[in-house]
Amino acid sequence: MMTRIVMDVDTGIDDTLALAYVLAAVRAGECELAGVVGTYGNVLASTAMANNRAVLRLFDAAVPGGTSGVPTPRGCVCPSWADGFAVDEGCARFHGDNGLGNVDPTRYGDRPSDGGTAGLVGPNDESGSDDAPTITVADRMRAASRPAVLSLGGERHDLPVRLADGDGDDAAQPFGGQTRAETMNLAASDASYANRPSQWRADCPEASRPDGLPAGVRLIIDEVRAHGRDVTVLATGPLTDVDAALAAAPDIAERMRLVMMGGALTQEGNCYDLICETNIFQDPEAANRVFRSGADVTMIGLDVTHQCLLTRADAESWRAADGPREDGDRPGAGAFLADMARFYIGANEASDPLFLAGSPLHDPLAAAVALDPALVTCFDVNMMTETSTGNGHGFRGRTIGDPTRLRDPRKTAHVALNVDAARAAASIRDRIGELCANNA
């Protein structure tokens, strides 16, 4: 039976490569892409949604029947524990301000794009009119009528109600015992993120709907209810959307097959603490609930993704796949991927000597495993995510075996610990190259 996939992505560079890999499988008749949900993480959720549409548009000619029928809704704009989200400096360093290595996809491809969304709002996709507004953190503070919690790339920041100039005096206490002067000092000390774009749950259109769910979460629910484990949810960002789907529709848990990129069991994390993996760190509570939900989860973590590397030569092979170009021709889709990957490879090389041999293919490996599980060998274990730090709690964001289910004979998680790295990396390189070569 043909694999059916719903992707849930915070579309940075490696998410884009994962999407290209899935499109190559669609072209080969190996899978059906039922939707691409854009969520927060590497970028804001609205940026992820726009990036998904741009990539689908760029590869429209390579896929039989085109890509215009693929739904591209938005998912959650922030973690389950926060009110809003802003991208941290670390994600921008690895993925660029636009998530695509600061490469503009509208400048590539044989058919110029107007940069709009026409033709990329698929069936049952309300996201064409369901976008979330973007506002700077400072402006949100000025407009807020109550305290709020901001996630800055997973780090918690409690924001006060910021008084306008001339409102109140030093004796006034907006909340939490803070005087006006203290509130202003807090805003000044947080200037590093005050001007960052952010998105907030309360500002989203779904906040006024009875179910409160973004269209992307409803797509996940509908797909699992309709197809059960014949559909694979491929999540390469935080697990907030999957968690929201399970919370709204508990009946889908036992029917869900999830392949996720995230976590680490035997290796260091890739956050500053070297314990947590970035996707899990964004929303540990959501990840913990997903692990404990009863859903069938395959975890593609740093244990295996750090073994599968993308080299500069690999990326340049995609540019070559575009074929000869005449003077004045627009660069092709392969050149887009190559230019984007060049940014990613440079950022990884600068971050850690470990990656001088190549950059980890995090999300593309998860996509490859969703289609070819034999690429990895898994350890079956009931997993959890620690949600607090301290004595008796562990470390918030660490993925580890669940002691409360250690003796449960039913294991719901499958953690990839070994990978045929050479075959996986070659498959990713070659399949994406085939997609580029057939995109004329």
Side-chain angles (χ1 to χ4, degrees):
M1 179 178 294
M2 183 182 295
T3 302
R4 187 176 176 90
I5 289 180
V6 174
M7 299 184 71
D8 189 89
V9 290
D10 57 332
T11 313
I13 293 172
D14 56 332
D15 306 80
T16 299
L17 297 180
L19 176 52
Y21 186 90
V22 170
L23 289 175
V26 172
R27 174 179 171 76
E30 297 171 4
C31 83
E32 180 181 2
L33 183 56
V36 188
V37 180
T39 193
Y40 74 94
N42 293 323
V43 291
L44 297 178
S46 292
T47 304
M49 185 171 66
N51 288 349
N52 293 337
R53 293 177 176 183
V55 174
L56 288 172
R57 183 184 298 109
L58 192 58
F59 286 103
D60 181 71
V63 177
T67 59
S68 62
V70 178
T72 55
R74 175 180 54 76
C76 297
V77 299
C78 63
S80 61
W81 53 267
D83 299 305
F85 175 81
V87 180
D88 71 319
E89 184 274 335
C91 281
R93 188 186 333 131
F94 282 92
H95 297 277
D97 292 334
N98 70 345
L100 304 177
N102 298 328
V103 176
D104 180 359
T106 66
R107 298 176 64 87
Y108 296 79
D110 293 328
R111 288 169 293 180
S113 168
D114 62 4
T117 60
L120 281 176
V121 181
N124 304 315
D125 182 0
E126 300 175 6
S127 58
S129 58
D130 209 25
D131 201 0
T134 299
I135 186 173
T136 67
V137 175
D139 285 344
R140 178 66 186 189
M141 288 175 65
R142 293 187 187 101
S145 59
R146 63 177 180 81
V149 177
L150 171 73
S151 168
L152 181 63
E155 294 181 352
R156 180 184 177 115
H157 292 263
D158 292 284
L159 303 184
V161 176
R162 182 176 178 183
L163 296 180
D165 291 342
D167 289 348
D169 53 37
D170 284 352
Q173 296 187 353
F175 84 102
Q178 287 183 314
T179 66
R180 180 177 185 277
E182 290 169 335
T183 301
M184 294 299 100
N185 287 337
L186 176 63
S189 68
D190 288 337
S192 61
Y193 66 80
N195 293 320
R196 289 185 183 273
S198 61
Q199 293 189 313
W200 299 80
R201 183 185 297 111
D203 296 340
C204 295
E206 63 266 20
S208 62
R209 292 199 291 259
D211 64 6
L213 298 177
V217 173
R218 285 187 280 121
L219 175 64
I220 293 171
I221 293 171
D222 292 345
E223 281 292 320
V224 177
R225 278 181 171 162
H227 301 282
R229 292 190 180 177
D230 289 335
V231 65
T232 297
V233 179
L234 173 59
T236 62
L239 290 175
T240 310
D241 289 345
V242 177
D243 173 52
L246 290 165
D251 57 290
I252 69 174
E254 298 291 331
R255 306 187 66 209
M256 178 181 286
R257 178 180 183 243
L258 170 67
V259 176
M260 54 165 284
M261 189 280 126
L265 191 59
T266 67
Q267 297 297 303
E268 291 180 337
N270 60 354
C271 292
Y272 296 116
D273 53 42
L274 295 182
I275 296 174
C276 306
E277 183 278 325
T278 303
N279 285 339
I280 301 295
F281 179 73
Q282 296 275 12
D283 198 345
E285 288 76 15
N288 189 46
R289 288 189 291 265
V290 170
F291 278 134
R292 289 175 155 175
S293 68
D296 184 81
V297 180
T298 298
M299 182 177 118
I300 307 300
L302 304 183
D303 313 270
V304 287
T305 65
H306 279 185
Q307 298 182 51
C308 296
L309 303 179
L310 174 72
T311 68
R312 292 183 182 275
D314 294 336
E316 286 304 313
S317 73
W318 299 332
R319 190 190 311 276
D322 286 336
R325 297 270 150 171
E326 301 290 339
D327 289 344
D329 285 351
R330 291 165 58 89
F336 162 71
L337 295 181
D339 290 343
M340 185 184 67
R342 183 167 54 190
F343 180 99
Y344 182 66
I345 291 170
N348 276 282
E349 288 176 345
S351 73
D352 194 326
L354 178 68
F355 300 129
L356 291 176
S359 294
L361 288 161
H362 299 297
D363 299 344
L365 180 60
V369 171
L371 293 163
D372 184 2
L375 285 170
V376 296
T377 303
C378 292
F379 172 55
D380 293 344
V381 58
N382 289 320
M383 291 291 291
M384 63 173 280
T385 302
E386 292 172 340
T387 57
S388 299
T389 298
N391 292 339
H393 294 290
F395 198 96
R396 184 172 182 267
R398 181 172 72 160
T399 47
I400 194 167
D402 183 353
T404 68
R405 295 185 293 154
L406 177 63
R407 293 185 295 275
D408 190 333
R410 181 185 176 221
K411 311 300 182 186
T412 59
H414 321 287
V415 181
L417 295 183
N418 294 294
V419 58
D420 187 339
R423 185 164 77 88
S427 174
I428 292 165
R429 178 197 64 216
D430 295 345
R431 296 297 295 273
I432 293 177
E434 292 168 7
L435 181 74
C436 297
N438 288 281
N439 195 46

